Amino acid sequence: AQSVTQLGSHVSVSEGALVLLRCNYSSSVPPYLFWYVQYPNQGLQLLLKYTSAATLVKGINGFEAEFNKSQTSFHLRKPSVHISDTAEYFCAVSDAGNNRKLIWGLGTSLAVNP
Amino acid sequence: DVKVTQSSRYLVKRTGEKVFLECVQDMDHENMFWYRQDPGLGLRLIYFSYDVKMKEKGDIPEGYSVSREKKERFSLILESASTNQTSMYLCASILTGAYEQYFGPGTRLTVT
């Protein structure tokens, strides 16, 4: 069965710092991997996705993630965060053949302080 | 732009009431989902639908039912609301073969 583990439910950093949000997955088939972001009082929106092309994926708002098959990881990073990046971040995985349904991590709450 | 709308942002209901949460998408997506979001528990799938009048149970269907009479509309029904159903409810849709699920803004339901 597929599963997703996000390490660290809360992360707090200063504005301008590098941030790394960790995601590990388990899947018996080639996965599709996703990061979604939820700003306060809003629904989720797609930040970036891995669908078996380049292992380094660039997303919106300066975020990027690297797919590492040997470590079964898909960590999200941003070199210099802004206060507006304060949000909840969710990692998700789906079957490559059935990308309609996603398996979700529990989320990481990122607080960016001035 | 794809738009997913939910009928209410905030809703307060009493225990035992029948509650309807409505979700409408405007991009002809075949697949629609209802999730529940609680602190520390992430998103949990309640039901999903891959076509009109078709539905499948998700991970936590107990206490809920759904209706999909038209392609653009997916309704979540709480037959007899209970306090443990106080939560944020999120609707999403996706085109078959696409990658991105589009989410509505959520309905924060409080059952007293």
Side-chain angles (χ1 to χ4, degrees):
Chain A
Q2 293 176 309
S3 66
V4 175
T5 302
Q6 290 184 239
L7 299 174
S9 57
H10 297 278
V11 173
S12 182
V13 298
S14 297
E15 189 174 26
L18 165 74
V19 69
L20 179 71
L21 304 183
R22 299 177 186 275
C23 173
N24 288 88
Y25 70 92
S26 68
S27 177
S28 58
V29 298
Y32 289 172
L33 293 156
F34 306 83
W35 277 98
Y36 280 78
V37 60
Q38 184 181 32
Y39 298 106
N41 297 315
Q42 294 186 28
L44 281 71
Q45 65 181 89
L46 183 66
L47 203 52
L48 49 79
K49 62 183 182 286
Y50 167 78
T51 57
S52 73
T55 56
L56 180 63
V57 179
K58 294 190 183 296
I60 61 172
N61 300 337
F63 283 90
E64 60 184 28
E66 186 161 13
F67 172 67
N68 188 316
K69 185 177 180 180
S70 62
Q71 297 186 4
T72 61
S73 67
F74 189 56
H75 301 330
L76 179 72
R77 63 175 176 256
K78 184 170 181 177
S80 177
V81 290
H82 190 268
I83 288 177
S84 60
D85 293 321
T86 293
E88 188 91 17
Y89 292 81
F90 292 93
C91 182
V93 64
S94 73
D95 285 338
N98 180 14
N99 58 308
R100 295 177 302 181
K101 282 181 65 178
L102 297 176
I103 307 301
W104 296 87
L106 297 185
T108 297
S109 177
L110 173 65
V112 181
N113 307 305
Chain B
D1 277 353
V2 175
K3 195 164 184 182
V4 180
T5 57
Q6 295 184 229
S7 49
S8 305
R9 291 299 303 272
Y10 300 92
L11 207 54
V12 180
K13 294 293 182 179
R14 295 190 180 275
T15 301
E17 278 193 83
K18 190 169 187 175
V19 181
F20 294 86
L21 303 183
E22 304 284 339
C23 175
V24 177
Q25 49 94 4
D26 66 356
M27 282 300 290
D28 209 34
H29 288 176
E30 298 90 348
N31 309 283
M32 297 186 74
F33 305 81
W34 274 106
Y35 294 97
R36 153 170 193 165
Q37 182 180 16
D38 299 287
L41 297 179
L43 273 71
R44 293 181 290 169
L45 182 64
I46 304 172
Y47 268 96
F48 73 100
S49 169
Y50 49 89
D51 202 349
V52 175
K53 296 190 186 295
M54 306 300 286
K55 62 186 179 185
E56 282 193 24
K57 293 180 180 179
D59 301 316
I60 52 164
E62 298 77 18
Y64 303 94
S65 62
V66 291
S67 173
R68 183 116 181 255
E69 296 296 319
K70 293 185 177 181
K71 193 173 187 179
E72 66 272 18
R73 187 179 298 269
F74 191 35
S75 302
L76 180 69
I77 303 155
L78 287 66
E79 295 290 343
S80 178
S82 65
T83 55
N84 62 13
Q85 293 177 310
T86 291
S87 187
M88 170 69 86
Y89 290 88
L90 292 166
C91 175
S93 71
I94 186 172
L95 189 67
T96 297
Y99 301 116
E100 180 175 357
Q101 287 194 16
Y102 290 87
F103 283 81
T107 296
R108 187 167 294 281
L109 173 67
T110 302
V111 182
T112 62

